[in-house]
Amino acid sequence: MFDEIHEECGVFGAYHIQNAAAITYYGLHTLQHRGQEASGIAVGEGAKIQVRKGKGLTIDVFTREKLEQMPGKVAVGHVRYSTAGGQENANIQPIVARGRVHDVAIVHNGQIVNEKELRIELEEAGCIFQGTSDSEIVLHMIQKEQGTMRERVMKTARKLVGAFSILVLCEDAIYAIRDQKGLRPLSYAKMQDGYVIGSETCAFEVLGLYTHTDVKPGELVEFKDGIVRRFDYEPAGETHLCAMEYIYFARPDSVIENLNVHRFRKETGRLLALRDDVEADIVIGVPDSSLSAAIGYAEASGIPFETGLVKNRFVGRTFIQPTQALRDRGVRMKLSAIGPIVAGKSVVMIDDSIVRGTTSRRIVRLLKDAGAREVHVRIASPVITSPCFYGVDTSTKEELIGARMDEAAICEAIEADSLRFMSIDDLKAAAGGVGLCTACFDGSYCTDLYSYGEKL
Amino acid sequence: MFDEIHEECGVFGAYHIQNAAAITYYGLHTLQHRGQEASGIAVGEGAKIQVRKGKGLTIDVFTREKLEQMPGKVAVGHVRYSTAGGQENANIQPIVARGRVHDVAIVHNGQIVNEKELRIELEEAGCIFQGTSDSEIVLHMIQKEQGTMRERVMKTARKLVGAFSILVLCEDAIYAIRDQKGLRPLSYAKMQDGYVIGSETCAFEVLGLYTHTDVKPGELVEFKDGIVRRFDYEPAGETHLCAMEYIYFARPDSVIENLNVHRFRKETGRLLALRDDVEADIVIGVPDSSLSAAIGYAEASGIPFETGLVKNRFVGRTFIQPTQALRDRGVRMKLSAIGPIVAGKSVVMIDDSIVRGTTSRRIVRLLKDAGAREVHVRIASPVITSPCFYGVDTSTKEELIGARMDEAAICEAIEADSLRFMSIDDLKAAAGGVGLCTACFDGSYCTDLYSYGEKL
Amino acid sequence: MFDEIHEECGVFGAYHIQNAAAITYYGLHTLQHRGQEASGIAVGEGAKIQVRKGKGLTIDVFTREKLEQMPGKVAVGHVRYSTAGGQENANIQPIVARGRVHDVAIVHNGQIVNEKELRIELEEAGCIFQGTSDSEIVLHMIQKEQGTMRERVMKTARKLVGAFSILVLCEDAIYAIRDQKGLRPLSYAKMQDGYVIGSETCAFEVLGLYTHTDVKPGELVEFKDGIVRRFDYEPAGETHLCAMEYIYFARPDSVIENLNVHRFRKETGRLLALRDDVEADIVIGVPDSSLSAAIGYAEASGIPFETGLVKNRFVGRTFIQPTQALRDRGVRMKLSAIGPIVAGKSVVMIDDSIVRGTTSRRIVRLLKDAGAREVHVRIASPVITSPCFYGVDTSTKEELIGARMDEAAICEAIEADSLRFMSIDDLKAAAGGVGLCTACFDGSYCTDLYSYGEKL
Amino acid sequence: MFDEIHEECGVFGAYHIQNAAAITYYGLHTLQHRGQEASGIAVGEGAKIQVRKGKGLTIDVFTREKLEQMPGKVAVGHVRYSTAGGQENANIQPIVARGRVHDVAIVHNGQIVNEKELRIELEEAGCIFQGTSDSEIVLHMIQKEQGTMRERVMKTARKLVGAFSILVLCEDAIYAIRDQKGLRPLSYAKMQDGYVIGSETCAFEVLGLYTHTDVKPGELVEFKDGIVRRFDYEPAGETHLCAMEYIYFARPDSVIENLNVHRFRKETGRLLALRDDVEADIVIGVPDSSLSAAIGYAEASGIPFETGLVKNRFVGRTFIQPTQALRDRGVRMKLSAIGPIVAGKSVVMIDDSIVRGTTSRRIVRLLKDAGAREVHVRIASPVITSPCFYGVDTSTKEELIGARMDEAAICEAIEADSLRFMSIDDLKAAAGGVGLCTACFDGSYCTDLYSYGEKL
């Protein structure tokens, strides 16, 4: 879908490791694909926590000098994609509570669906909020609970409904919690005398760590006193990992629930090919996220895999459209067709998903303008028919082309010669034994939606 | 070779087109892979030329506001990779001469090998130089010649030896010259009532232009009075296009001398496979430049093409190595192996070239650390044995591993299980009828080298 | 004392005025002498409040574009000098609480001396703090109280001990409170259909407003429904305006408690002269704050007023001391003597105060190096012997030269030929009927000091 | 005249001193009042010259790190106010010529009036210009001459007509030349084993140097081989120092031609008072440049000196006028009246000069709005009737109110109760024996004007 949907965050933590801030910097940089709008690191030394954060990529927010001013062996960090409330700096994570006895820092990936209800309850109890993020709510809740920090985090976790992978830093310890459905990924790995914790395993491999453990749905993992303790704050239910993590968000080298992302994508391509009978000359993928599926399709179909589209590596947020007349060329600034490869050819174009359909139509036109004879679009996921309330920015139901049209109508809208989506069953098959949340495809949300349900 | 060698520049021009500066901005953005250190645009209105330039990517140097302040229908622009003399702003192009009668602006891709001799001659004639770039020399030479601007450019071109694709902007006209050997590419395309000129054709396609004409070696093309006039300033000799343009620099969607770059690279992969007998499980390419060759190798060998390496899309110049202990992890920040794909496998790893060998060794280690059983390195170009004096920054002869070791020794140095380079004959075969400069492989420079010869 | 002590803040508000943010920008710019480290503006539209803030001068933090994006007719703003806790952005004001029903913004000048006790109480009630400023405490307290916003602000004000001039913005209304002792100034003026409120009246005059009303000690002024309502939240006691406001902080064109600052300073100069019998050739003042006193001294003594010291207008925070050898020239970068004026002369040098004494010694040396025969230092305020806990950064008691030495010893330490301070009685006389806090001179603090008392 | 006219530059050099770049940084910072738009330093080590320059104040352009990267014992620097041609970086000084044998750097204060003629001559000889500054012309001329560097600079100096104080840096030597009329000041002082050279002596005093020597009109001073050699490149004529240097540009602590600037200004005030019979309550000066004259006037007239106007110390170039309605308040952002001081008073307001008259009218209104009963404007210089071509930006003849109106009409235009200018004779008397250029007052230009004469 190329730039149309966004996941909101990545989290990373380093426990009991020299230069924890620098290690976290590496981790966040590797998780940068999960969010490019803002970046922050909090580092703890005893009761005190120091935090630095700002808008932009991790490599822009932090300098070597700044990192050197952040000593400490425990740190948590965050990268985020800005959402509606994101204009103001108050929402950039980590969020830190300054306390008389100790500070607490929190980073969060996901979305709490009962946030409105929790916020009202807290406000009525006299809490004030400086930002609009649900992470601030969690911080208040932890503060209000009684007991040890572990107990307070556990009690808080039980009250949260929705998607969350949260790290809490306090007094040289880190508490990691993952929502009961396991909607967002969260894993940890041993490093030297300590541990690193992160949204995706790719962040471990850059540190030379090749084995890891997943935080289970409904689990709290405490990193404290140099050791790891695992607790079920809720009885483990069935896993409902967000399907989009496999389809689009995660880096192909990451492993989630023991399944490699690239391998999953290749399998979706293979399954698409099995159900297909199109006669074509070449198979191409929309870079970068659809290349794996295209390779799988090519292998299974016997149609040669080709590089038909090239992505401009230097596109950033700052790209401008200087003149109105040129504005419709926007997509071309990001993506170009290789004329000599596609000209005169019948092309199978694999894309990972279709959201609004406008980008798909532009890419089809791009290929046709470059001389492609036929463009057969194959989508390595089912039709998106429902909005996501678990942290994916898929826009409203009205904007989802799959909520308004059937396959044939979408095919016409995007000006393709043919179009096929993957079935939900095939998607599940590709995931093997991993339970998926497929709410955006079939509307079956795995939690109560609270006030979000009104948006349906 | 992943980040080890650099070409110095890309040029772009827009003639007789509304918002020429904005069009040039698009063009430069698409040529950004040819240079990321600095960017500049000069736009002419009658006798006057306005110039803006600065360090950084095109999208960072220019804002919409700045472009709107640059009206005019004729413009030239430049992206560059900084070289030794590049610390000072005086070397950022375009370079403009302010004249009583009219201004002149120049942009240049390549390297003039008789620059020292020309500079001495000009200095002795009383010229002063504010920078160290050879572009300033060309500007002085044009100014010193007699006759019309076309005549002056032609006379100047005849005296230049080396690699150059130069655009000269003066009084609403653009003069494009390409060196007699055609070492650097240069093409133009019709757009509306005018023309665009650029180092690579990918810059035309983003504007929706699918046909183009190459400036021939030894040719001057004059864009003036609304039309194009072509002149041979020298009798056309044999073309010696820089082989590295096909192998590494150019974008895969570009077409040089009627040969698509991706297609060339696939053919090198195919030829590598034909000469090979290795038994392996998968073929992978080093992203991004070696993927085409890897696809070609896979097709010809029947060994499956896989995605074994992932590149961090957010790496920039500003990436820091916060701690000494982590410094050797540098390459991992840029490139990661997909463990589940390569683990236990015998891998054919296609890279486009080897310069110093250090990066190759790191990538081999990366794959081994991720569990690869065997890594067979195949290089889609011959051994680099000689430095380049035509605008490619391949470091000195001492640093070239291919100048010091034979294939077996290099194989050992990079810790590969086997290593094969492509033969020069196969390289030439892949280029079809296009004459190549292969000086870096065989030391046969296609021009006199003047003072540069001392470096051999 | 030239750059040795700092007041921490200035506040400004605009009520029921078009472009309230722009008006506040003007006001803050005029109050910039009260704080140069950070600047911020919150603007309200109905229940919602938008806030922008950052490090640096008001003119650097805000651009025209940013101000245009802040529509609304009610705004409050803040300039601050950073204190120890000031490294982190969380302390930059305004601080805003996001509420379900409405947002609340607060700006604060002064210091709450029972902040530690209040903070503990709030924390124990489950509040979390994101910064270390006492403004955040006030925001929590308001939120915790019951009743209308006016009632909640009043109840909060009654619990605060110390120095505060606070503006609270909520639902298109502004609530202004001044501490019971009137330690910090706060006034308002009618502007068009609305009002402006600010720390000093100079901020009104730049808007063409020449009449104003002081918020009284212990008063709450409510700007709501288009009108002003005044309430005594505490019975008015005796005023204890910080003497340093007159002596050093305030701009000479400001009027506090019906007394013009320049006039006060002239009177101190006059009184110094009356008590003096030194024979000298010229009177000079240390720019800028001591010029008024020097004029007063000259008038009363009959010794001619001269310009003997020149201040570099372009000194900023960013001034660097490039080499160690030159570091002791620091003061010269800021202040220079006019050699031809002072050479061979017996000089009366008026300064407003002495804190650590190091700057005074440097200035005396500067004058002697420039040829002054004698330098008689006269200080237009009494000896500072005690630290301030009401928002003035006079460092600790140990650093105060007046706490360690008597007049004769200080005279020797600063290498002056003679030295006289003003008596506390004369200081009070200069203030006419205005009651002053003179705690820094005589240690008689006008409030209980709570935990701050331990620092004595 | 408060911000209405501008001198274009200040120059500084350091010869044979450790950390010459850092010393030059100090010097430029002290000369910052002569130009705030751009700043640059060139430092030499043997034949090589390193240059750094940029837009903004010296303290913003240079960091400690940058200065540390500029070793060398010889440096020249420049601060400038941007003129029409100033938009482009090519005009920021120092301008450096890169040569095979050695580099040459130049800085220049003043204006060459035969620049057009010289430029044409050079262009016809084949020179190219990258900027529009006359400094680049001088560099070309030096390069074209024959002989030793000293001979070349002398031959060049003889051909230049107009105002210039130029420093040339080459091979560890500095050549300082001052125009034959001495229009711009230039002095040097011994420092350690070397020398510093600069536009004003205030730059020496911050370095602790209290004695200096003026470069004479028509003189070249060579700093080479550790010693100073002085040469008359032209027979010395009568000095014509720009009167505006004394009246407005120079810092009050500077000494030019043995006359202190503050003393000169006081004397103009005294002479104004002697010729005056106005009955008034107080005398005030427009800060900062008119305060000295106001003190002189007060002393001579017996009318008390007062502080009636306050300047905002934090006004910078970036100050914005956020709303149209508020735009006419612009001057108030920079200057405020002290109401309690001027209210009900008859005020003598001393200003240094009147250019367009608009600022004077605003200040008169400011005082009246603040309650002044009468405002009697006294100008400490004669009526400006003619444009300046020697480096002062007084705008065109049409804009000069003194070229269109007589004293009475100007008085009415600026809404003053009375107005008196100083006579040219009194101005000359104030300067004592120093010969002045008074062209802007009487149109008698001290050189041929060449093409500039057409603008009269």
Side-chain angles (χ1 to χ4, degrees), chain C residues 210-276:
Chain C
Y210 294 97
T211 59
H212 69 271
T213 307
D214 289 333
V215 178
K216 287 186 302 173
E219 190 179 39
L220 175 148
V221 183
E222 180 192 66
F223 300 86
K224 195 181 170 193
D225 309 324
I227 61 168
V228 172
R229 293 187 192 89
R230 306 176 62 167
F231 304 88
D232 289 331
Y233 69 84
E234 286 275 351
E238 203 184 336
T239 298
H240 286 76
L241 182 80
C242 168
M244 275 294 166
E245 291 282 349
Y246 283 126
I247 295 167
Y248 181 72
F249 298 136
R251 253 177 53 159
D253 51 336
S254 286
V255 172
I256 310 176
E257 303 288 339
N258 296 317
L259 175 59
N260 169 246
V261 172
H262 167 68
R263 185 159 284 176
F264 170 91
R265 290 178 187 169
K266 253 191 88 172
E267 179 63 10
T268 58
R270 195 185 69 84
L271 291 170
L272 274 176
L274 284 189
R275 313 291 181 233
D276 211 350

Side-chain angles (χ1 to χ4, degrees), chain C residues 70-142:
Chain C
M70 299 180 80
K73 293 180 70 178
V74 193
V76 295
H78 195 263
V79 291
R80 83 191 279 262
Y81 175 78
S82 82
T83 54
Q87 290 285 36
E88 293 181 11
N89 290 327
N91 290 324
I92 301 178
Q93 301 193 26
I95 296 181
V96 180
R98 303 291 175 197
R100 192 169 28 99
V101 181
H102 56 67
D103 299 342
V104 183
I106 190 170
V107 291
H108 169 215
N109 173 26
Q111 191 158 334
I112 312 296
V113 293
N114 61 336
E115 58 147 341
K116 193 173 167 190
E117 290 73 15
L118 294 167
R119 185 181 289 263
I120 290 173
E121 201 177 304
L122 288 162
E123 259 194 65
E124 283 172 355
C127 290
I128 62 171
F129 292 89
Q130 296 187 29
T132 55
S133 75
D134 44 15
S135 317
E136 197 179 352
I137 294 171
V138 178
L139 207 50
H140 275 285
M141 291 171 70
I142 292 171

Side-chain angles (χ1 to χ4, degrees), chain C residues 18-172:
Chain C
Q18 289 294 340
N19 297 309
I23 295 292
T24 302
Y25 169 85
Y26 280 89
L28 294 181
H29 174 61
T30 312
L31 296 174
Q32 194 81 73
H33 58 285
R34 298 181 73 86
Q36 295 97 50
E37 296 295 315
S39 198
I41 296 174
V43 64
E45 278 200 292
K48 287 286 157 209
I49 290 175
Q50 189 189 158
V51 63
R52 282 178 196 257
K53 50 191 183 179
K55 292 185 181 172
L57 299 180
T58 307
I59 57 174
D60 294 330
V61 171
F62 293 92
T63 61
R64 180 197 301 256
E65 195 184 14
K66 281 190 189 167
L67 287 173
E68 284 171 356
Q69 290 165 3
M70 299 180 80
K73 293 180 70 178
V74 193
V76 295
H78 195 263
V79 291
R80 83 191 279 262
Y81 175 78
S82 82
T83 54
Q87 290 285 36
E88 293 181 11
N89 290 327
N91 290 324
I92 301 178
Q93 301 193 26
I95 296 181
V96 180
R98 303 291 175 197
R100 192 169 28 99
V101 181
H102 56 67
D103 299 342
V104 183
I106 190 170
V107 291
H108 169 215
N109 173 26
Q111 191 158 334
I112 312 296
V113 293
N114 61 336
E115 58 147 341
K116 193 173 167 190
E117 290 73 15
L118 294 167
R119 185 181 289 263
I120 290 173
E121 201 177 304
L122 288 162
E123 259 194 65
E124 283 172 355
C127 290
I128 62 171
F129 292 89
Q130 296 187 29
T132 55
S133 75
D134 44 15
S135 317
E136 197 179 352
I137 294 171
V138 178
L139 207 50
H140 275 285
M141 291 171 70
I142 292 171
Q143 189 73 357
K144 284 240 175 285
E145 298 291 347
Q146 300 294 319
T148 63
M149 182 53 60
R150 185 216 301 157
E151 288 163 353
R152 290 152 71 186
V153 173
M154 286 183 82
K155 287 175 189 170
T156 299
R158 279 182 206 124
K159 294 179 182 166
L160 301 174
V161 178
F164 55 88
S165 284
I166 290 175
L167 303 183
V168 178
L169 165 61
C170 180
E171 291 196 298
D172 293 334

